[in-house]
Amino acid sequence: MTAVGDKKQTLAAAPQRDASKPITMVAAINEALDMALTRDPDVYIFGEDVGVMGGVFRATDGLQARHGVERVFDTPLAEAGIMGLGIGMGLAGLKPVAEMQFAGFLYPALDQIMSHLGRYRHRTRSRFTLPVVVRAPYGGGVHTPEQHADSPEAVIAHVPGVKVVIPSNPQDAKGLLLAAIADPDPVFFFESIKMYRSLKAEVDPGYYTVPIGQARIHRAGDDLTIICYGGMVEVCDRAAEAAAGAGISAEIIDLRTISPLDTATVLESVRKTGRAVIVTEAPRTAGFHSEVAAVIAEEAIDSLLAPVVRVTGFDAPYPPFTAIEDSYRPTPTRVAKAIRRVMEY
Amino acid sequence: MTAVGDKKQTLAAAPQRDASKPITMVAAINEALDMALTRDPDVYIFGEDVGVMGGVFRATDGLQARHGVERVFDTPLAEAGIMGLGIGMGLAGLKPVAEMQFAGFLYPALDQIMSHLGRYRHRTRSRFTLPVVVRAPYGGGVHTPEQHADSPEAVIAHVPGVKVVIPSNPQDAKGLLLAAIADPDPVFFFESIKMYRSLKAEVDPGYYTVPIGQARIHRAGDDLTIICYGGMVEVCDRAAEAAAGAGISAEIIDLRTISPLDTATVLESVRKTGRAVIVTEAPRTAGFHSEVAAVIAEEAIDSLLAPVVRVTGFDAPYPPFTAIEDSYRPTPTRVAKAIRRVMEY
Amino acid sequence: MSKTSTEVAASAGTLPAAQAAMAASVLQPAAEGQPEVPMLQFITPQGTLNAGEQPLPDVPLPDPETQLWLYRQMRRIRHFDERAWVLYRQGKMGVFPPYGGMEASQAGTAAALTTQDWLFPTYRDTGAALTYGLPIAQTVAYWRSSPHGWYMPEDLKITPFYIPIATQYPQAVGAALAERKRGTRNVAMAFIGDGGSSEGDFHEGLNFAGALNAPCVFILQNNGWAISVPTAAQTRARDLSRRAEGYGVPGLRVDGNDILAVYAVTKAAVERARGGEGPTLIETVTFRIKPHTVADDPTRYRTDEMTAGWDTKDPVLRLREYLLAQGTLTEEGEAAMLDEISAEFEEAVAAADALPDPTPAEIVDHVFAQPTPQLRAQRAEIMEEDSA
Amino acid sequence: MSKTSTEVAASAGTLPAAQAAMAASVLQPAAEGQPEVPMLQFITPQGTLNAGEQPLPDVPLPDPETQLWLYRQMRRIRHFDERAWVLYRQGKMGVFPPYGGMEASQAGTAAALTTQDWLFPTYRDTGAALTYGLPIAQTVAYWRSSPHGWYMPEDLKITPFYIPIATQYPQAVGAALAERKRGTRNVAMAFIGDGGSSEGDFHEGLNFAGALNAPCVFILQNNGWAISVPTAAQTRARDLSRRAEGYGVPGLRVDGNDILAVYAVTKAAVERARGGEGPTLIETVTFRIKPHTVADDPTRYRTDEMTAGWDTKDPVLRLREYLLAQGTLTEEGEAAMLDEISAEFEEAVAAADALPDPTPAEIVDHVFAQPTPQLRAQRAEIMEEDSA
Ligand SMILES: Cc1ncc(C[n+]2csc(CCOP(=O)(O)OP(=O)(O)O)c2C)c(N)n1
Ligand SMILES: Cc1ncc(C[n+]2csc(CCOP(=O)(O)OP(=O)(O)O)c2C)c(N)n1
Ligand SMILES: [Mg+2]
Ligand SMILES: [Mg+2]
């Protein structure tokens, strides 16, 4: 069987880079995609503007040039169509990596996601499985137009059969994305728009994976546990740094995967510190922060020395008003206030 | 201005009924819709099969005959279209009451819901408001075909600007639906399929409303608080009844509205009993039960004598397998086990 | 302002009459400038060869051997449909959506595939699935909502029946595109109903297939009804095949009760897709003479007049007349055929009866390749409860 | 198997060339049987009257007074577009999607409405909104992402610009249907792009409008690009107006750079809708000569050859040539017009500059008519933080 995607003549070598030079998260994501395309002929990348243009954030920059338009292609503008395409390709045994241009624009695909993406293995008792990855930039902080700053991760986390991964830094982003592509089941991969370029870090230039379902201790501490992910990690870090100045030792857990949640790591830390602050930038009611709080309330009640405090967006749409939108997203100041609340309780 | 919907000649009188005779929840819903159509010429009812046929559950039975095909009409089969139609009618100042045939089929409408339904007042600073009601049968327990038994209420509750109401009995259903139609903002109204006909009760035949945002003490008790809504209320009731036999006095809170959540009623009860069990039939991860648990963990930690326990569906799709589906939905036995867990802690 | 359809309907009074008026009136404006697209038809409802000019002159009449084989397919799936009703009444089958009267549309389309091709059926398309090769025992198990009915055989490329309307269309494009990317000549066929053609996924699927040149054959079974809503209230369009043009895709219309025409058209579309020439939309014009499901009561939304005429267009009897007249089929040959079909069915039902019941813990199986810690805990919880 | 478009493109090598090849090749199969639908055009790109036969003989050329008025509308919105670029570079405006080159398509359509009619614009349609009557100061405020830009005046029935593609189509049907239910003669107009026509909501909107006979005018501005994706990769269809037929709705095609043709066609469709005869889809064939937004770099996805020719089709210059030749416009008259337009703009920008900044607490205002307890608490939280 001659696989069109195998035609190696179209494959230009990935550019070499200096491993000691820090790179952005979007560059790390680009590198992971490039590597996946090179290693596995079943990997296909598609979405709106991902091909010729290389994506609105340049996450797929250069990939079509190196791997050909069979492997990396632009689709018509229709998210349900993109998700359905990915599901169909997955049914047929390929490894589609679809991009939703913004998380706020994945909503038209929710029927495909809720009705099928997470159900196919279950309903066919594993006859059909969906090794599909969906990438979507999410969250606020960079003054995008209306509807471009949504954080709908709790909605996807509520869908059985779909994993949800949200990296907070370049090294994790690359390894988690490679793990997502290698995963035999559907993985949603949310990428903080704010983090795409705000932070550079050294990234292992080789192939490696970061396990899905394992949180990471971002910062060790004893007095309280801050639980966060994605774009909130750097915000919490700054709050923890400030708290350290006041003699408070905060442990930060970067969940990395929110579904399945690494409850073991969360609970171990909370049992140690006795205090939990959970930070997300999604609307308050029924956000994923609430799931984390619920797990703690169910499993670590005896260890709690203070209320479980959530620092979140508000029960209003992410505001399209540039001058004030930064007050919607949790700031180090708001996290610091929560830290005080649990410490002074 | 001659309003077509005003043409009273098509309006046949609603059938009289004996107020002392108990009626089902679906009959109460039908009565509320009939009354709303009669009282307010701006009310319009539409959806798939709601007109000629009167709905797959007969919730709109007879309404087209009594109020005419201008007021009660069938649409093409497309949920985003139905939701968009409702939003457009709402923008123009009417009071649309749209039906989604099953909650599991509202997913194609989620883009309209998430992108617009809850945002319009906010983005136009109240220039445009959406007095729109969306009704959707939800939940399991009656051996429907695949995808017909979903409980996606947490997803809607996470959408800012949209209220979510879920009645558990005929009297509330009528008053809450009339309140939803009178409400100036979008209200989602989930109707437990299992409860449609499983319970009859006396219902006030006149016009009345039950306030949105207020929970109801379904059963008073002192030892623990069970928090639930919709189809789970009768399940919890049976568990509480059994517990009473063992000398345990359970208080049951029927939330009735999940967004905005009546935190005052929940917290007052939990502060009194010191124990909370939350019961829903939705998948476990990031369900609305978790929001309730989070509120308790944030606001009533000092009163807690035991973990906050969630009794829920599982992290799997609602199974399309008749012989075993009843094990997915919480049973009185599973609730009883949770009661034991918090009491014996 | 001219009266709207609904105004006409409102003044009409009684319900089915109102609906009939609505249907008639809604059609009017579209009908003005829009002539009905002609349908391919080889065999008339009277069972004679259609002597008129055909709209698709390139599409040939199938040969007698194929004709007989197609007749057998229809008989076989009609048997299933009829027996399903009986089993339902006996409590041995769940809520089944019948397709009786639509056999030509289902068998004639699916018969054009091999099992290397993909089939995406809806809940209505049990007949298509059986024709494709889905084992009867498994099909019975499916309609009993047993997990055994959902595990599709590894050597078939058929999905379980689709319930969420229209979602299968873009997915079929994905499967078809995957075949093309792999360099095979396999195609994907997806079914939809007249109601389903109103969903956005119908549009996105067809447009993607055109834009990406996916080897897809889209079957649109226009059976006149979406539960209680007649096609005329579903859309102002006279015919649905015309939509294909808007995607640069050929749209064909065929008498959906003439299996020879259905088969011939589908075969041509399948070959076109195999040859890399892209997708085709085929509207099979048929009728749902049966209720929506075995549990539905159609008198709530339609009168006898609204279904009148369609019983005489029965696809099985039509081909039978023709084959008997041609001598391709004999009464004895038919009797033997029916016996075989019946025996095959009874054996399969016995096999289905013998399938073990699932256990509650299976609820949380097959969610992921590796169960998560959460699912392991939940499985233990179910097992504990089950054994209590 | 014949080469797919993408194979052709792949072997073509460099990127814009690959894209050009893709476009050409994808069109091929559709082009076979599908002739391009002729466009209405009154004024040629050379500014002369088109002497050929018109595809829509019922649609008359607007009279000279209207011609001059339309010219003014185009000049007015072109001024805004040009000034917006400058304001953006000065940091006095946010990321703005320009419409320069599409003035005929935007002004010619919106000019056919009164402010009793509804307008549903997309982010691209600032020009249409200004023509409809949205105040300039408010429009500037909108593109500064100030809440003042979102509060639509009570006496207009225009919505804020739509960002989530295609969602406005079914909503426009709802607003139009509401007008009909109320017994008015008002209509709703909604805009969409070529890219947007691929979304399911486009399909559902058009089909609902047809089925429910809603007084809607759907404007499809085919400007050749959806960010980086050319129309030829968006769909295999040769033209998009043809989609309307699939809904039993008239679909018209017009030279989108000829405002006289655009206005005349739109006016006819608006009157048709007012008269209760139902919706119309109008494809205005135009081109996005500018970047997607002021922040976009089109060299990443298109070459000069791909845009060549369109600059000579400028809609403003075209009508100008014609009006000058006809004597309807004089150079002095034009100079005065431009002065007025410029003064009006500067005054409006000054007014926008004077608008007060919002306060953070406004984030949680206007969520519900009555704030919930949660929102009250959250407001207090923001106020506390703000004052800290
Ligand atoms: C997304 C979605 N909406 C609604 C339904 C409920 N439903 C089941 S069948 C049906 C009618 C389908 O009609 P049609 O597409 O013509 O197919 P037919 O039943 O005639 O085969 C409806 C509305 C569903 N299954 N999925
Ligand atoms: C649902 C949705 N998906 C994706 C986007 C991102 N996006 C913004 S503009 C655009 C292209 C739109 O092209 P077209 O419809 O042709 O309009 P134009 O920009 O040419 O006016 C895309 C993909 C969006 N805004 N909404
Ligand atoms: Mg049908
Ligand atoms: Mg465009």
Side-chain angles (χ1 to χ4, degrees):
Chain A
M1 194 161 67
T2 55
V4 173
D6 264 338
K7 287 188 188 152
K8 283 292 187 300
Q9 70 270 27
T10 60
L11 182 66
Q16 292 294 320
R17 72 168 172 89
D18 176 354
S20 71
K21 243 180 94 182
I23 63 172
T24 61
M25 189 167 91
V26 72
I29 287 166
N30 184 273
E31 186 164 291
L33 294 172
D34 189 37
M35 211 165 259
L37 284 162
T38 305
R39 289 171 55 99
D40 185 348
D42 285 343
V43 170
Y44 288 83
I45 293 179
F46 52 90
E48 296 157 11
D49 306 292
V50 300
V52 176
M53 176 171 164
V56 291
F57 291 106
R58 310 212 178 189
T60 55
D61 204 22
L63 299 181
Q64 188 180 69
R66 281 204 292 289
H67 300 276
V69 287
E70 274 297 326
R71 304 282 304 284
V72 181
F73 57 98
D74 289 323
T75 64
L77 202 178
E79 291 74 13
I82 293 169
M83 195 64 255
L85 190 77
I87 292 173
M89 290 171 75
L91 287 175
L94 299 183
K95 284 181 171 285
V97 181
E99 179 178 301
M100 297 285 147
Q101 199 159 80
F102 285 83
F105 302 142
L106 69 79
Y107 306 147
L110 281 172
D111 183 29
Q112 288 287 344
I113 294 164
M114 295 179 165
S115 296
H116 294 291
L117 188 63
R119 285 191 220 235
Y120 239 109
R121 180 187 285 278
H122 190 256
R123 66 199 290 261
T124 65
R125 316 317 280 159
S126 297
R127 159 66 179 97
F128 289 117
T129 60
L130 294 177
V132 177
V133 175
V134 188
R135 298 177 38 250
Y138 87 99
V142 299
H143 302 284
T144 42
E146 195 188 7
Q147 316 249 6
H148 285 69
D150 281 13
S151 300
E153 68 273 15
V155 170
I156 309 295
H158 191 44
V159 180
V162 178
K163 301 179 185 176
V164 181
V165 172
I166 313 182
S168 71
N169 62 67
Q171 172 81 5
D172 276 358
K174 179 176 169 187
L176 284 166
L177 184 49
L178 286 168
I181 294 172
D183 199 280
D185 288 302
V187 181
F188 240 88
F189 197 83
F190 285 107
E191 301 163 4
S192 162
I193 296 173
K194 172 83 170 148
M195 300 307 298
Y196 267 145
R197 296 192 159 77
S198 71
L199 172 108
K200 286 187 177 188
E202 270 182 39
V203 171
D204 180 343
Y207 179 90
Y208 64 94
T209 58
V210 169
I212 292 176
Q214 283 185 21
R216 178 178 69 90
I217 307 287
H218 175 72
R219 177 191 183 106
D222 298 313
D223 296 333
L224 82 151
T225 305
I226 304 178
I227 301 136
C228 56
Y229 50 84
M232 285 296 107
V233 175
E234 69 163 5
V235 170
C236 294
D237 209 36
R238 277 190 278 152
E241 198 61 43
I248 298 169
S249 156
E251 179 146 302
I252 298 180
I253 295 180
D254 174 1
L255 290 177
R256 302 199 292 197
T257 297
I258 66 166
S259 179
L261 176 65
D262 181 356
T263 51
T265 300
V266 170
L267 293 173
E268 194 184 328
S269 175
V270 174
R271 287 193 183 116
K272 177 180 72 176
T273 65
R275 297 178 183 90
V277 170
I278 309 156
V279 186
T280 84
E281 56 183 299
R284 166 73 60 111
T285 297
F288 195 77
H289 37 262
S290 302
E291 174 64 23
V292 178
V295 165
I296 296 170
E298 201 158 16
E299 302 295 341
I301 193 86
D302 280 339
S303 320
L304 287 178
L305 305 170
V308 179
V309 174
R310 297 170 293 167
V311 184
T312 69
F314 299 107
D315 284 321
Y318 189 97
F321 314 130
T322 312
I324 56 173
E325 68 166 279
D326 288 340
S327 298
Y328 184 91
R329 204 165 174 258
T331 54
T333 320
R334 278 177 63 203
V335 177
K337 204 166 110 189
I339 294 175
R340 277 198 303 280
R341 181 171 165 204
V342 297
M343 293 308 299
E344 291 166 10
Y345 189 75
Chain B
M1 192 162 69
T2 54
V4 173
D6 265 337
K7 286 188 189 150
K8 282 294 186 302
Q9 71 270 28
T10 60
L11 182 66
Q16 292 295 321
R17 71 168 172 88
D18 176 353
S20 71
K21 243 179 94 180
I23 63 171
T24 61
M25 189 167 92
V26 72
I29 288 167
N30 184 273
E31 186 164 291
L33 294 172
D34 189 37
M35 210 164 260
L37 285 162
T38 304
R39 289 170 55 98
D40 185 347
D42 284 342
V43 170
Y44 288 83
I45 292 178
F46 52 89
E48 296 158 10
D49 305 292
V50 300
V52 176
M53 176 172 164
V56 291
F57 291 105
R58 310 213 178 189
T60 55
D61 204 24
L63 299 181
Q64 188 180 69
R66 280 203 292 288
H67 301 276
V69 287
E70 274 297 327
R71 305 282 305 284
V72 182
F73 57 98
D74 289 322
T75 64
L77 202 178
E79 291 74 13
I82 293 169
M83 195 64 255
L85 190 78
I87 292 172
M89 291 171 75
L91 287 175
L94 300 183
K95 283 181 171 285
V97 182
E99 178 178 301
M100 297 284 149
Q101 199 160 78
F102 285 83
F105 302 142
L106 70 78
Y107 306 148
L110 281 172
D111 183 28
Q112 288 286 346
I113 294 164
M114 295 178 166
S115 297
H116 294 290
L117 188 64
R119 284 189 221 235
Y120 238 109
R121 180 187 284 277
H122 190 256
R123 65 200 291 262
T124 66
R125 317 315 282 158
S126 297
R127 159 66 180 98
F128 289 118
T129 61
L130 295 177
V132 177
V133 175
V134 187
R135 298 177 38 249
Y138 87 99
V142 300
H143 302 284
T144 42
E146 195 189 7
Q147 316 247 7
H148 285 70
D150 281 13
S151 300
E153 69 273 14
V155 170
I156 310 295
H158 191 45
V159 180
V162 178
K163 300 179 185 177
V164 182
V165 173
I166 312 182
S168 71
N169 62 68
Q171 172 80 5
D172 276 357
K174 180 177 169 187
L176 284 167
L177 184 50
L178 286 168
I181 294 171
D183 199 280
D185 288 302
V187 181
F188 241 89
F189 197 82
F190 285 107
E191 301 162 3
S192 162
I193 296 173
K194 171 84 170 149
M195 299 307 298
Y196 267 145
R197 296 193 158 77
S198 73
L199 172 107
K200 287 187 175 187
E202 270 181 41
V203 171
D204 180 342
Y207 179 90
Y208 64 95
T209 58
V210 170
I212 291 175
Q214 282 184 21
R216 177 179 69 90
I217 307 287
H218 175 73
R219 178 191 184 105
D222 298 312
D223 296 333
L224 82 153
T225 305
I226 304 178
I227 301 136
C228 55
Y229 49 84
M232 285 296 107
V233 175
E234 70 164 4
V235 170
C236 294
D237 209 37
R238 278 190 277 154
E241 198 61 43
I248 298 168
S249 157
E251 180 146 303
I252 297 180
I253 296 180
D254 174 2
L255 291 178
R256 303 199 292 196
T257 298
I258 65 166
S259 178
L261 176 65
D262 181 356
T263 51
T265 300
V266 169
L267 293 173
E268 195 185 327
S269 176
V270 173
R271 287 193 183 115
K272 176 179 74 178
T273 65
R275 297 178 182 91
V277 169
I278 309 157
V279 186
T280 85
E281 56 184 299
R284 166 72 60 110
T285 298
F288 195 78
H289 38 262
S290 303
E291 174 64 22
V292 178
V295 166
I296 295 169
E298 200 158 17
E299 302 296 342
I301 193 85
D302 281 338
S303 320
L304 287 179
L305 306 169
V308 179
V309 174
R310 296 170 294 167
V311 184
T312 69
F314 300 106
D315 283 322
Y318 189 97
F321 314 129
T322 312
I324 55 173
E325 66 167 281
D326 287 340
S327 300
Y328 184 91
R329 206 167 174 256
T331 54
T333 321
R334 278 177 62 203
V335 177
K337 204 166 112 189
I339 294 176
R340 276 198 304 281
R341 181 169 165 206
V342 296
M343 293 309 300
E344 291 166 9
Y345 189 76
Chain C
M1 184 167 50
S2 69
K3 279 197 174 221
T4 61
S5 54
T6 38
E7 283 158 10
V8 172
S11 53
T14 66
L15 286 185
Q19 176 143 335
M22 165 155 55
S25 160
V26 164
L27 271 181
Q28 212 98 50
E32 278 169 33
Q34 206 177 46
E36 215 176 323
V37 172
M39 296 190 300
L40 184 76
Q41 184 194 68
F42 288 139
I43 312 294
T44 68
Q46 292 70 43
T48 58
L49 208 59
N50 181 337
E53 210 183 308
Q54 291 297 347
L56 299 168
D58 294 348
V59 175
L61 183 74
D63 62 33
E65 194 186 336
T66 308
Q67 293 173 7
L68 190 60
W69 175 68
L70 290 170
Y71 183 67
R72 188 188 179 98
Q73 300 306 318
M74 280 204 290
R75 274 295 184 198
R76 188 166 171 269
I77 68 173
R78 170 153 298 186
H79 188 81
F80 187 101
D81 189 68
E82 284 170 350
R83 295 291 296 147
W85 284 82
V86 178
L87 289 175
Y88 172 71
R89 288 204 199 92
Q90 293 170 345
K92 292 186 184 161
M93 191 120 128
V95 170
F96 174 76
Y99 51 82
M102 296 168 62
E103 289 88 350
S105 170
Q106 299 209 357
T109 46
L113 299 182
T114 79
T115 51
Q116 284 306 299
D117 298 314
W118 289 87
L119 186 72
F120 290 79
T122 80
Y123 56 87
R124 177 79 59 213
D125 308 314
T126 302
L130 292 169
T131 304
Y132 173 85
L134 193 66
I136 298 175
Q138 169 157 19
T139 313
V140 171
Y142 177 95
W143 288 113
R144 287 178 179 176
S145 299
S146 152
H148 304 288
W150 299 78
Y151 178 94
M152 299 288 136
E154 294 280 351
D155 57 345
L156 300 182
K157 286 151 108 177
I158 181 172
T159 64
F161 302 110
Y162 276 73
I163 303 274
I165 304 283
T167 50
Q168 65 280 7
Y169 257 44
Q171 294 182 21
V173 179
L177 196 67
E179 294 290 350
R180 217 179 140 66
K181 299 260 180 215
R182 286 228 165 94
T184 77
R185 287 171 54 84
N186 305 327
V187 310
M189 178 181 289
F191 283 78
I192 207 165
D194 42 287
S197 76
S198 295
E199 289 275 11
D201 275 7
F202 168 84
H203 171 82
E204 299 188 14
L206 270 163
N207 189 48
F208 268 62
L212 300 171
N213 200 35
C216 263
V217 179
F218 297 106
I219 307 297
L220 195 174
Q221 293 185 99
N222 185 347
N223 66 3
W225 296 90
I227 309 185
S228 73
V229 178
T231 308
Q234 191 70 240
T235 182
R236 194 168 176 162
R238 268 305 271 277
D239 52 80
L240 296 166
S241 64
R242 201 186 303 257
R243 290 209 180 139
E245 287 178 26
Y247 311 106
V249 167
L252 310 177
R253 206 155 185 255
V254 60
D255 181 340
N257 283 17
D258 172 6
I259 193 169
L260 302 189
V262 171
Y263 177 77
V265 160
T266 310
K267 194 87 190 161
V270 166
E271 289 314 317
R272 197 172 167 274
R274 288 202 203 293
E277 288 168 79
T280 306
L281 173 68
I282 298 174
E283 179 185 3
T284 65
V285 180
T286 179
F287 199 80
R288 201 195 81 213
I289 49 177
K290 299 280 171 90
H292 176 64
T293 69
V294 290
D296 173 43
D297 170 14
T299 64
R300 283 171 71 194
Y301 53 81
R302 69 185 188 186
T303 61
D304 286 351
E305 296 103 74
M306 295 166 102
T307 60
W310 279 97
D311 41 352
T312 66
K313 296 191 185 166
D314 185 285
V316 177
L317 299 184
R318 185 190 301 203
L319 184 59
R320 182 171 189 273
E321 287 299 313
Y322 178 71
L323 293 183
L324 287 173
Q326 295 290 309
T328 315
L329 178 73
T330 61
E331 307 253 352
E332 309 79 65
E334 184 182 48
M337 180 192 287
L338 295 182
D339 282 349
E340 282 166 37
I341 285 171
S342 175
E344 180 197 17
F345 183 83
E346 296 313 321
E347 198 181 310
V349 170
D353 288 347
L355 291 168
D357 264 356
T359 60
E362 292 178 41
I363 286 176
V364 290
D365 291 344
H366 298 288
V367 178
F368 294 113
Q370 294 295 329
T372 62
Q374 283 81 354
L375 285 163
R376 276 201 298 275
Q378 291 171 23
R379 192 175 209 282
E381 201 186 310
I382 297 174
M383 302 262 295
E384 191 191 310
E385 178 129 346
D386 193 30
S387 64
Chain D
M1 184 166 49
S2 69
K3 279 196 176 222
T4 62
S5 54
T6 38
E7 283 158 10
V8 171
S11 52
T14 68
L15 286 186
Q19 176 144 334
M22 165 154 57
S25 160
V26 165
L27 271 181
Q28 211 100 50
E32 278 169 34
Q34 205 177 46
E36 214 175 323
V37 172
M39 296 190 299
L40 184 75
Q41 182 194 68
F42 289 139
I43 312 295
T44 68
Q46 291 70 43
T48 59
L49 206 62
N50 181 337
E53 209 182 307
Q54 292 296 347
L56 298 168
D58 294 348
V59 175
L61 183 73
D63 62 33
E65 194 186 338
T66 307
Q67 292 173 9
L68 192 59
W69 175 68
L70 290 170
Y71 183 66
R72 188 188 179 98
Q73 299 307 317
M74 280 202 292
R75 275 295 182 194
R76 189 167 171 268
I77 67 173
R78 170 154 298 186
H79 187 81
F80 186 101
D81 189 70
E82 284 169 351
R83 295 290 297 146
W85 285 83
V86 178
L87 289 175
Y88 172 72
R89 286 203 200 93
Q90 294 171 342
K92 291 186 184 160
M93 191 121 127
V95 171
F96 174 77
Y99 51 81
M102 296 168 61
E103 289 88 350
S105 170
Q106 299 209 357
T109 46
L113 299 182
T114 79
T115 53
Q116 285 306 298
D117 300 312
W118 288 87
L119 185 72
F120 289 80
T122 80
Y123 56 87
R124 175 80 58 214
D125 307 314
T126 301
L130 291 169
T131 305
Y132 173 85
L134 193 66
I136 298 175
Q138 169 156 18
T139 312
V140 171
Y142 177 94
W143 288 114
R144 287 178 179 176
S145 298
S146 152
H148 304 288
W150 299 78
Y151 178 94
M152 298 289 137
E154 294 279 352
D155 56 345
L156 300 182
K157 286 151 107 176
I158 180 172
T159 64
F161 303 109
Y162 277 72
I163 302 274
I165 305 282
T167 51
Q168 65 279 9
Y169 257 44
Q171 294 180 22
V173 179
L177 195 67
E179 294 290 350
R180 218 180 138 66
K181 301 259 179 216
R182 286 228 167 94
T184 77
R185 285 170 56 83
N186 304 328
V187 310
M189 178 181 289
F191 283 78
I192 207 164
D194 42 286
S197 76
S198 295
E199 290 274 11
D201 274 6
F202 169 84
H203 170 83
E204 299 188 14
L206 270 162
N207 189 48
F208 268 62
L212 300 170
N213 201 36
C216 264
V217 178
F218 297 107
I219 307 297
L220 196 174
Q221 292 186 99
N222 185 347
N223 66 1
W225 296 89
I227 309 185
S228 73
V229 178
T231 309
Q234 191 69 240
T235 182
R236 194 167 177 161
R238 266 306 270 278
D239 52 81
L240 296 165
S241 64
R242 200 186 304 255
R243 291 210 180 139
E245 288 177 26
Y247 312 105
V249 167
L252 310 176
R253 207 156 186 252
V254 60
D255 181 339
N257 284 18
D258 171 6
I259 192 168
L260 303 189
V262 170
Y263 177 77
V265 160
T266 310
K267 195 86 190 162
V270 166
E271 289 314 317
R272 195 171 169 275
R274 288 203 203 293
E277 290 167 78
T280 305
L281 173 69
I282 298 174
E283 179 186 4
T284 64
V285 180
T286 179
F287 199 80
R288 201 195 80 214
I289 49 177
K290 299 280 170 92
H292 176 64
T293 69
V294 290
D296 173 43
D297 170 14
T299 63
R300 282 171 71 194
Y301 53 82
R302 68 186 189 186
T303 60
D304 285 352
E305 295 103 74
M306 296 167 103
T307 61
W310 279 96
D311 40 353
T312 65
K313 296 191 186 165
D314 186 284
V316 178
L317 298 184
R318 184 189 303 201
L319 183 59
R320 182 171 189 274
E321 288 298 315
Y322 178 71
L323 294 183
L324 286 174
Q326 296 290 310
T328 314
L329 177 73
T330 61
E331 308 253 351
E332 308 79 65
E334 185 182 48
M337 179 192 287
L338 295 181
D339 282 350
E340 282 167 37
I341 285 171
S342 175
E344 180 197 17
F345 182 83
E346 297 312 322
E347 199 180 310
V349 170
D353 288 348
L355 291 169
D357 264 356
T359 59
E362 292 178 42
I363 285 176
V364 291
D365 289 345
H366 298 288
V367 178
F368 294 112
Q370 294 296 330
T372 62
Q374 283 80 356
L375 284 162
R376 276 201 298 275
Q378 290 170 24
R379 192 174 209 283
E381 201 185 311
I382 297 174
M383 302 262 296
E384 191 191 311
E385 178 129 348
D386 194 30
S387 63

